[in-house]
């Protein structure tokens, strides 16, 4: 029997190839053994995906709101829904112009047909867009400043690697297929794993060495290691001469990061720093997996910049992994239609709530995201969407916090119910995912919907209606598409690992681009201290059972817990398991306090986007400030805790 393969398009490093057996609601999904990246490992979300497709919280029919603030809806038809949407668009385009229409999308499904092609309508209309900066922007920008683009090592390089450093990267939960490969090599004695994390994560526990660096002090550590390597003549001089620019200035600048100073700043012992620096300098080749959680804070961009320069000292071309899509030879701009029109404005994704609340938009089209739960200061997003002068359309597979704030809710097929082409930002295999479930109701794909809207608007631009496979041929090449269709998978061409798209064509220790955009040419620490009223740093990160807010319909709500160090619990007079009020100047929520040594004193932890005991989301508390390099700062959220009677 021919194998049926689907590719999970979730916003996950792994982008798994999954084998499907059975039919109807008896379909079973397992990690595909023959895939070199998935290797038969099945994550608990893939295991639950069929259940999620059949779950009671699916949107199966088009709906219109009866009363938005009460969240009551009635069925409508596709015809009526599309006509209402098109009429509204026409009216608002004529009266307020495209900058008062916002496309609010993200990566709930990263499929080419689902996520990229539908954007053509919105580029063509020149509506306002977000800058996609909530997740990985600061780090991406940081690496780009020194390397010209942010792609790095592929998973296949792990096999040739002797040392793997997880720096603010919780692979055991967030890249569990990469972690499985690494653990396998570790068990065979071929690879050593080091984790650098303020939290005692699952990844840290499985590592050969764990550096519990003080939260946010990583720039000191990275520059300290750089200084140690330079002072002890552990650099690769030839590589520095041939492939880098600005080393002498860098050397001078990092000279002050001596062991004593770095130890004070990072809370690590001098011995620990030396042990790691020696290991890093000698155990080659190595890869540093630089995490996203690490850079989602004030100064996060500088942190990634400093870390990313370490491999260059010891003679490694791009000795890191961060995000690899910029290395793939795919014309993503052609697919999304970027050239069809310049957005009339681009707003910071972290500030969506603020803009909405101020009434900057009259029409918002939302798909592939649940911002009322997941965006910083999410209560602002909710209040903004519930204004009576804004018309909100949500195209969703499931009823979510956000669809409940819509004027029109449109049903979408899950990835198991539609054909798509999926690529990864970790590996370079592109897969053809074929529908294995029949739609349950009146779902229409994302592309169908925007084309219906475009036709109602009588738009003539042919690219909006282009056949998806023809579009793909132009974005990669006809032979690659043929291979994809025949084999179900292709290995995409990848950019040269020793190519640098910087002004000098080299790795720039002193970034010319940084000078140009007015940020420090060399990375430097940015000090952030909690204010007296809110002395705890709230860090949030992923749970193995959920992708953000997805799978609550299968596994129940994301646990409403806050992990607190025992020392802090005692000083607050709170016992393990008691309910606490967690608050700051934005909002307050109720959570169950759990005593945990996962967090050091002064840091508290919740699962990201969790629902609180009082029915809110943790993001009512999170920071919507923007880092210097443009990214979100969810992890520089300051809070206080109080015992509740
Ligand atoms: N506190 C806190 N907040 C965070 C973070 C954090 O660490 N802490 N992390 C941030 C990060 S890194 C990210 S990436 C964001 C993620 O934020 P979101 O992208 O908003 O996260 P999800 O909850 O996964 O929302 C994706 C939505 O897409 C829908 N969807 C899935 N597949 C399809 C499909 O095929 N078609 C359609 N139409 N819809 C589909 C899902 O049902 C879901 O509602 O959250 C951010 N928020
Ligand atoms: N199960 C599951 N997997 C997922 C997702 C999911 O929702 N669920 N989401 C996917 C998405 S969208 C993303 S963005 C990735 C994110 O995956 P990762 O890149 O692993 O990011 P996080 O889990 O947010 O944070 C990783 C670690 O960074 C640490 N950290 C935070 N600040 C600092 C710091 O200042 N210094 C140091 N050294 N460490 C710090 C945190 O303690 C945390 O353990 O995961 C992807 N994978
Ligand atoms: S959710 Fe992530 S780890 Fe799980 S199947 Fe999808 S891509 Fe793989
Ligand atoms: Mo993310």
């Amino acid at each position: 029997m021919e194998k049926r393969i689907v590719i999970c398009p979730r916003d996950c490093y792994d982008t798994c190839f999954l084998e499907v057996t059975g039919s109807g609601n008896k379909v079973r999904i397992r990690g595909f053994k023959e895939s070199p990246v998935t290797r038969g490992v099945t994550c608990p979300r893939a295991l639950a995906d069929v259940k999620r497709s059949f779950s009671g919280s699916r949107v199966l029919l088009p709906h219109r709101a009866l009363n938005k603030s009460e969240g009551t809806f009635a069925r409508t038809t596709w015809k009526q829904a599309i006509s209402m949407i098109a009429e509204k668009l026409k009216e608002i385009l004529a009266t307020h112009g495209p900058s008062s229409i916002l496309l609010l999308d993200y990566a709930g499904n990263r499929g080419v047909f689902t996520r990229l092609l539908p954007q053509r309508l919105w580029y063509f209309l020149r509506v306002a867009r977000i800058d996609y900066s909530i997740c990985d922007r600061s780090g991406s920008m940081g690496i780009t400043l020194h390397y010209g683009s942010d792609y790095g090592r592929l998973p296949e390089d792990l096999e040739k690697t002797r040392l793997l450093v997880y720096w603010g990267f919780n692979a055991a939960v967030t890249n569990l297929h990469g972690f499985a490969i690494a653990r396998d090599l570790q068990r065979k004695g071929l690879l050593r794993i080091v984790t650098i994390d303020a939290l005692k994560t699952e990844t840290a526990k499985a590592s050969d060495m764990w550096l519990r660096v003080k939260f946010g002090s990583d720039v000191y550590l990275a520059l300290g290691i750089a200084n140690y390597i330079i002072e002890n003549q552990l650099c690769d001089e030839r590589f520095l001469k041939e492939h880098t620019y600005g080393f002498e200035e860098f050397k001078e600048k990092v000279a002050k990061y001596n062991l004593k100073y770095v130890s004070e700043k990072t809370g690590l012992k001098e011995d620990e720093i030396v042990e790691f620096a020696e290991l890093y300098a000698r155990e080659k080749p190595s890869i540093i997996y630089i995490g996203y959680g690490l850079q989602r804070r004030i100064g996060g961009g500088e942190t990634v910049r400093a870390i990313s320069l370490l491999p260059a000292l010891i003679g490694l071309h791009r000795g890191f992994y961060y995000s690899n899509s910029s290395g793939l030879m795919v014309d993503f701009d052609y697919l999304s239609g970027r050239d069809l029109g310049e957005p009339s404005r681009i707003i910071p994704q972290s500030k969506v709530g603020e803009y909405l609340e101020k009434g900057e938009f009259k029409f918002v089209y939302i798909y592939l995201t649940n911002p009322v739960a997941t965006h910083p200061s999410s209560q602002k997003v909710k209040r903004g969407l519930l204004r009576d002068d804004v018309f909100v359309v949500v195209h969703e597979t499931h009823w979510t916090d956000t669809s409940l704030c819509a004027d029109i809710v449109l049903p979408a097929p899950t990835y198991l119910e539609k054909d798509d082409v999926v690529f990864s930002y970790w590996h370079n295999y592109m897969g053809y995912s074929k529908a294995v479930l029949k739609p349950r109701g009146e779902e229409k794909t994302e592309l169908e919907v925007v084309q219906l809207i475009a036709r109602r608007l009588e738009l003539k631009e042919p690219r909006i209606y282009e056949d998806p496979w023809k579009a793909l041929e132009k974005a990669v090449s006809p032979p690659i598409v043929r291979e994809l269709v025949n084999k179900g998978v292709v290995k995409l061409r990848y950019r040269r690992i020793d190519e640098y798209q910087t002004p000098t064509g080299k790795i720039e220790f002193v970034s010319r681009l940084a000078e140009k955009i007015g940020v420090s040419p060399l990375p430097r620490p940015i000090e952030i201290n909690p204010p007296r009223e809110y002395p705890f740093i709230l860090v949030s990160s992923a749970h193995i059972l959920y992708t953000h807010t997805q799978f609550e319909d299968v596994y129940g709500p994301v646990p409403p817990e806050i992990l607190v160090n025992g020392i802090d619990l005692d000083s607050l007079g709170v016992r393990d398991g008691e309910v606490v009020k967690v608050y700051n100047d934005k909002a307050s929520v109720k959570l169950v306090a759990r005593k945990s040594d996962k967090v050091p004193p002064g840091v508290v932890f919740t699962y990201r986007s969790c629902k609180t005991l009082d029915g809110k989301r943790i993001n009512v508390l999170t920071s919507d400030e923007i880092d210097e390099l443009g990214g979100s700062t969810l992890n520089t959220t300051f809070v206080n805790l109080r015992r509740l009677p």
Side-chain angles (χ1 to χ4, degrees), residues 11 135 296 548:
D11 189 3
C135 176
R296 240 173 259 129
H548 309 288

mmCIF file of all heavy atoms in Angstrom, residues 11 135 296 548, ligand 4:
data_model
loop_
_atom_site.group_PDB
_atom_site.id
_atom_site.type_symbol
_atom_site.label_atom_id
_atom_site.label_comp_id
_atom_site.label_asym_id
_atom_site.label_seq_id
_atom_site.Cartn_x
_atom_site.Cartn_y
_atom_site.Cartn_z
ATOM 1 N N ASP A 11 3.783 26.205 13.564
ATOM 2 C CA ASP A 11 4.933 27.072 13.820
ATOM 3 C C ASP A 11 5.823 26.382 14.844
ATOM 4 O O ASP A 11 5.765 26.632 16.032
ATOM 5 C CB ASP A 11 4.442 28.418 14.346
ATOM 6 C CG ASP A 11 5.565 29.423 14.417
ATOM 7 O OD1 ASP A 11 6.694 29.080 14.007
ATOM 8 O OD2 ASP A 11 5.318 30.540 14.884
ATOM 9 N N CYS A 135 7.958 36.941 17.472
ATOM 10 C CA CYS A 135 8.617 35.680 17.844
ATOM 11 C C CYS A 135 10.138 35.784 17.840
ATOM 12 O O CYS A 135 10.776 35.605 18.856
ATOM 13 C CB CYS A 135 8.130 34.594 16.903
ATOM 14 S SG CYS A 135 8.925 33.020 17.138
ATOM 15 N N ARG A 296 13.500 37.346 23.482
ATOM 16 C CA ARG A 296 12.216 38.039 23.560
ATOM 17 C C ARG A 296 12.196 38.952 24.779
ATOM 18 O O ARG A 296 11.414 38.784 25.703
ATOM 19 C CB ARG A 296 11.092 37.000 23.641
ATOM 20 C CG ARG A 296 10.116 37.095 22.507
ATOM 21 C CD ARG A 296 9.126 35.963 22.524
ATOM 22 N NE ARG A 296 9.456 34.941 21.578
ATOM 23 C CZ ARG A 296 9.540 33.656 21.858
ATOM 24 N NH1 ARG A 296 9.315 33.219 23.079
ATOM 25 N NH2 ARG A 296 9.844 32.793 20.913
ATOM 26 N N HIS A 548 1.117 26.966 21.610
ATOM 27 C CA HIS A 548 0.426 28.171 22.079
ATOM 28 C C HIS A 548 -0.958 27.792 22.596
ATOM 29 O O HIS A 548 -1.052 27.016 23.526
ATOM 30 C CB HIS A 548 0.398 29.234 20.979
ATOM 31 C CG HIS A 548 1.754 29.475 20.418
ATOM 32 N ND1 HIS A 548 2.718 30.137 21.116
ATOM 33 C CD2 HIS A 548 2.324 29.084 19.254
ATOM 34 C CE1 HIS A 548 3.830 30.150 20.402
ATOM 35 N NE2 HIS A 548 3.617 29.512 19.270
HETATM 36 MO MO1 LIG B 4 7.187 31.632 17.989
#
